[in-house]
Amino acid sequence: MTDSDAASAATPAARAGYGRLLGLLAAADGDLAGAEDALADALEQALRRWPEQGVPHRPEAWLLTVARNRQRDRWRSAETRRTTPLDLDRHARRALTIDEVGPDAIGDRRLELMLLCAHPMIDPGCAPR
């Protein structure tokens, strides 16, 4: 597979799923810029690896996995630990048992994700057809 073949395979995956992938990545911590960076890194990896290894069966899933791994690496980095202030509310929570979790304990973020995916800065041409 040539570089142009990898680019032609990555382009539809990126266009069809960009908003959805970005929403899934940003939902983890609310950092839209970080999600965009992670997705851009995943696309760069796709352009480097797919010519050698071939296009995966599910390109969007591959991009999401690579981007999530990039986010995880950033969260665990020494730079993030040194520069990000400690959020006591988030870090002081203890793990709840299943008996302590009520039906409303886990917030519903679907509306927030839909609004994020409909953000005016996202190109409408990236919407799935």
Side-chain angles (χ1 to χ4, degrees):
M1 172 179 281
T2 66
D3 289 348
S4 63
D5 291 339
S8 64
T11 300
R15 283 192 181 158
Y18 186 81
R20 182 174 47 253
L21 293 172
L22 191 60
L24 289 168
L25 293 167
D29 65 353
D31 182 8
L32 183 58
E36 288 175 330
D37 290 343
L39 188 53
D41 287 344
L43 289 166
E44 180 183 354
Q45 287 296 319
L47 293 176
R48 289 182 182 184
R49 291 186 182 185
W50 292 358
E52 298 168 2
Q53 300 173 355
V55 177
H57 179 66
R58 295 178 54 209
E60 284 185 32
W62 189 95
L63 290 170
L64 181 62
T65 301
V66 171
R68 281 185 173 158
N69 289 342
R70 181 67 62 190
Q71 278 183 317
R72 186 191 64 232
D73 293 345
R74 191 186 81 239
W75 293 332
R76 292 181 178 174
S77 73
E79 179 185 354
T80 299
R81 288 195 308 266
R82 280 193 316 267
T83 60
T84 304
L86 180 65
D87 181 359
L88 292 176
D89 289 336
R90 188 173 124 218
H91 292 96
R93 292 184 191 137
R94 65 176 183 85
L96 297 174
T97 65
I98 192 70
D99 296 330
E100 296 173 313
V101 177
D104 298 325
I106 301 171
D108 185 358
R109 298 184 67 192
R110 287 180 286 185
L111 178 60
E112 182 181 345
L113 290 173
M114 286 191 303
L115 292 174
L116 176 67
C117 291
H119 193 277
M121 294 300 291
I122 296 176
D123 180 15
C126 292
R129 294 176 189 162

